[in-house]
Amino acid sequence: MSILSTLIRAGAMLLLACGMAQAQSPVPSPVAAVNTDPARAQVKLPEPANPALPSIILIGDSTVRNGHDDGQGKGAEGQWGWGNPIAAYFDANKVNLVNRAVGGLSSRTYITSGHWERTLAFVKPGDIVLMQFGHNDASPVNDDKRARGSIRGIGDDATEIDNILTGKRETVYSYGGYLRKYIADIRAKGATPVVVSLIPRKAWNEEGPDVGKVRRNKGDYAGWAADVARLEKTGFIDLNELAARRYDEMGREGVMKMFPVTVPDERIHTNWAGAALNAQIVVAGLKTLGDPRMASFLKPVDDVRPVVDARSVREEAPLDPKLPTLFLVGDSTVKSSGQNGAIGWGERLTPYFDTRKINVVNAAIGGRSSRTFFTEGRWERVLGQLKRGDTVVIQFGHNDGGRIGDPANKNRASAPGIGPDTVEDTRPDGSKEQVHSFGWYMARYVADAKAKGATVIIASPIPHRDKWQQERDFANFADWGRQVAQAGGAHFMDLTMLVTEAYRTIGAQQVDTFFSDARTHTNGAGAEFNAQRAVAGLKTLPGNPLRPYFSDKAAGVQ
């Protein structure tokens, strides 16, 4: 049995033994120390999703974008850069958030590796480019490992070297010199540069007047970044100082929770909680820089994704309890009930099944995530109706993103990944909740349903209106869902790509007619289209478990 399978099944069995009450507020177990180093990860960097919109582009090192930007499969306790959680603050209909930072690079090697040239090609008038370097600039200037160091300071110093690593002649400049190049290049494109000082390390002063406080970098890279920003008259966010202040306020025990428990001890790279804190600080800094567009770029203080009032939703039940039942579990993209013209694909699925042979029960409800469908007791009610021979299709992800602890997110974000780690959240009533990973909740659904003798199908989310043409939407959630399905003995249906590929066939002009809002919810035509893609996916599952129940209408779906 794989390690992943063991973790998932062990976690589900533990919760089954402890019961629902403990599942919502368990005492978190200590996280085992691991090695999360993603050094030298071969990364594919994102491009602006909508080139017609302005972009906020991030460049930097692994403290901005770590490895493949996936937590190394370790969920919230892996290494995360702040460039991932910061995306949740911005309205994708108004601005692109493009994180093109690369782990292991310095202000020098981001240029010499060609990454800056490729990134600069995307920069256009009106864009904003945030740069954060420093952690790797103190490395050796010339060696056979990374040769990434820059000359200390902000002067016009330069030195010629025969680069041992590349075998090429190279002129190396100061840290400040490289920052000035970025600033000049950005301004030449008609865009706005913003300098961000490096995040502080998990290290404390052991002597002097600041003994016991988190160590700052005013005497080197943070101070030099500030000096360059002042001399070049460009925006500056002192993340180093602002984050250090927050660390001092939370104390050593609190700071330890911002970093993964690793072997050896990790002092630079944050976990998800630390990345989210740094993202929050950067956003606050952006608000102070005087760009009047920032108010429109940022999402409203209250999350606009609707949370449907459960009292307005009629809960469905099997029409004939003697027949097998197909249950649909998910969010408003599965069931919207016509709210603001929105229809979920699950509301158009029933005609594709012979209701003389199987019940179709759509238990989805708008605004829920894998977390809140569980904590509100909705899964418990589905489970109460579930019997041997039934099938459950589960689709979550649209509401699982965002920042845990942000009241605007309405306490529905799950922790990233599939691991057993938890993140504490405070409910509106002041009570504390230990929030599990997306994969943990999905694994719980799989284990519970299989224990009832049901067949389980995990479906990845339908794509956004603006995320199917040039990229893969919901890549992380699809990957986590696939891993959970494989480990738990469930089926996986990549509904994201089933719909995406069909969208690419018919083109944007027709796809745009399928939505009732800017980017998420389909109308009746879109729901019908996506229901057909779901049927096509169900028919290709190993063993075709629903084959005996399809109606004649399903026969024409390929």
Side-chain angles (χ1 to χ4, degrees):
M1 183 181 293
S2 68
I3 295 174
L4 168 63
S5 178
T6 302
L7 283 173
I8 291 174
R9 292 179 182 175
M13 290 177 67
L14 176 61
L15 278 171
L16 284 167
C18 295
M20 177 67 73
Q22 284 182 307
Q24 294 186 20
S25 300
V27 177
S29 302
V31 179
V34 295
N35 190 329
T36 64
D37 182 16
R40 298 182 185 275
Q42 298 299 307
V43 298
K44 178 177 173 58
L45 298 181
E47 300 177 3
N50 185 348
L53 295 176
S55 295
I56 297 175
I57 298 174
L58 314 180
I59 63 173
D61 53 35
S62 55
T63 63
V64 184
R65 187 180 193 274
N66 198 291
H68 295 291
D69 204 26
D70 60 359
Q72 305 83 52
K74 298 175 175 64
E77 282 308 313
Q79 293 183 18
W80 294 90
W82 56 261
N84 185 301
I86 200 173
Y89 285 89
F90 293 94
D91 185 343
N93 295 307
K94 305 289 182 60
V95 66
N96 303 303
L97 192 289
V98 190
N99 187 358
R100 293 185 63 84
V102 180
L105 299 187
S106 64
S107 66
R108 164 191 165 194
T109 54
Y110 193 87
I111 294 173
T112 58
S113 64
H115 282 295
W116 177 233
E117 182 180 11
R118 291 188 288 273
T119 296
L120 191 60
F122 295 113
V123 179
K124 62 184 183 301
D127 287 352
I128 300 170
V129 182
L130 276 66
M131 65 192 81
Q132 185 223 273
F133 291 103
H135 278 291
N136 299 319
D137 280 81
S139 301
V141 168
N142 200 6
D143 63 9
D144 60 356
K145 296 179 176 62
R146 293 193 175 183
R148 58 186 179 178
S150 57
I151 298 173
R152 293 173 61 83
I154 65 170
D156 294 325
D157 316 53
T159 184
E160 294 284 331
I161 67 167
D162 292 311
N163 193 311
I164 299 171
L165 186 64
T166 67
K168 298 178 180 179
R169 187 75 172 169
E170 180 187 352
T171 303
V172 179
Y173 300 95
S174 72
Y175 172 73
Y178 288 112
L179 294 190
R180 286 193 293 273
K181 174 176 172 54
Y182 291 122
I183 292 169
D185 287 351
I186 294 163
R187 284 175 167 163
K189 283 291 196 104
T192 301
V194 177
V195 178
V196 182
S197 60
L198 73 172
I199 67 169
R201 289 174 169 81
K202 187 179 70 178
W204 289 266
N205 293 308
E206 297 179 358
E207 57 185 22
D210 293 325
V211 64
K213 289 188 175 182
V214 168
R215 196 176 301 161
R216 271 74 160 169
N217 293 91
K218 289 180 181 178
D220 47 60
Y221 295 97
W224 297 334
D227 290 342
V228 170
R230 175 176 51 80
L231 293 170
E232 297 297 320
K233 296 180 173 56
T234 190
F236 178 62
I237 300 173
D238 196 353
L239 180 56
N240 186 265
E241 174 61 30
L242 294 171
R245 289 179 191 172
R246 296 288 291 274
Y247 286 178
D248 287 340
E249 292 170 0
M250 64 179 63
R252 286 197 183 219
E253 185 176 348
V255 173
M256 297 298 285
K257 295 178 181 179
M258 300 294 106
F259 291 81
V261 181
T262 61
V263 180
D265 183 43
E266 179 56 63
R267 302 171 63 226
I268 296 175
H269 302 100
T270 56
N271 59 20
W272 182 261
L277 173 64
N278 290 328
Q280 182 185 68
I281 294 169
V282 172
V283 169
L286 284 171
K287 291 179 180 179
T288 68
L289 297 182
D291 190 324
R293 300 174 300 166
M294 200 56 61
S296 65
F297 289 167
L298 292 166
K299 288 179 180 177
V301 174
D302 192 24
D303 194 325
V304 296
R305 291 173 295 177
V307 177
V308 173
D309 186 344
R311 294 170 297 181
S312 67
V313 178
R314 180 182 63 83
E315 292 194 7
E316 300 180 16
L319 293 176
D320 186 347
K322 297 188 294 296
L323 295 177
T325 299
L326 169 62
F327 288 92
L328 306 179
V329 170
D331 52 36
S332 56
T333 63
V334 184
K335 183 178 182 179
S336 291
S337 303
Q339 184 177 19
N340 298 319
I343 302 292
W345 63 263
E347 297 172 87
R348 294 293 185 265
L349 194 68
T350 300
Y352 293 95
F353 289 89
D354 187 341
T355 53
R356 297 168 299 178
K357 298 178 180 179
I358 191 170
N359 305 298
V360 179
V361 174
N362 192 346
I365 181 170
R368 271 58 180 189
S369 63
S370 67
R371 166 190 171 187
T372 55
F373 196 90
F374 181 80
T375 58
E376 290 179 5
R378 299 186 179 283
W379 175 243
E380 187 177 30
R381 292 198 287 278
V382 171
L383 203 59
Q385 302 176 73
L386 206 60
K387 64 183 184 300
R388 183 169 298 279
D390 288 349
T391 301
V392 188
V393 177
I394 305 169
Q395 182 219 279
F396 288 110
H398 275 280
N399 298 315
D400 280 85
R403 294 165 288 115
I404 295 172
D406 179 6
N409 201 37
K410 305 182 177 94
N411 299 95
R412 52 187 176 177
S414 58
I418 61 173
D421 40 282
T422 61
V423 178
E424 187 173 86
D425 194 8
T426 302
R427 294 175 177 272
D429 63 2
S431 63
K432 304 295 184 181
E433 177 188 356
Q434 296 300 322
V435 180
H436 297 274
S437 68
F438 173 79
W440 186 96
Y441 292 109
M442 299 298 277
R444 174 66 186 260
Y445 296 145
V446 171
D448 285 351
K450 286 182 68 67
K452 284 289 194 99
T455 298
V456 187
I457 302 164
I458 293 177
S460 59
I462 65 166
H464 288 100
R465 182 179 182 175
D466 57 348
K467 289 282 190 177
W468 59 270
Q469 289 179 283
Q470 302 296 331
E471 59 185 301
R472 153 122 215 180
D473 204 2
F474 292 107
N476 281 343
F477 288 103
D479 188 45
W480 298 331
R482 182 182 289 107
Q483 291 180 66
V484 168
Q486 183 178 4
H491 294 281
F492 176 74
M493 178 171 67
D494 195 347
L495 187 56
T496 314
M497 291 309 298
L498 285 165
V499 174
T500 293
E501 289 166 0
Y503 280 176
R504 289 172 180 170
T505 299
I506 64 174
Q509 186 173 356
Q510 186 173 352
V511 170
D512 284 346
T513 69
F514 286 168
F515 286 81
S516 65
D517 61 10
R519 67 189 302 258
T520 303
H521 299 98
T522 54
N523 54 27
E528 177 68 30
F529 186 88
N530 291 341
Q532 290 184 12
R533 294 304 87 216
V535 170
L538 292 171
K539 289 170 71 174
T540 62
L541 293 176
N544 197 358
L546 290 169
R547 180 178 181 180
Y549 310 113
F550 287 121
S551 68
D552 292 341
K553 185 175 181 179
V557 176
Q558 301 298 324

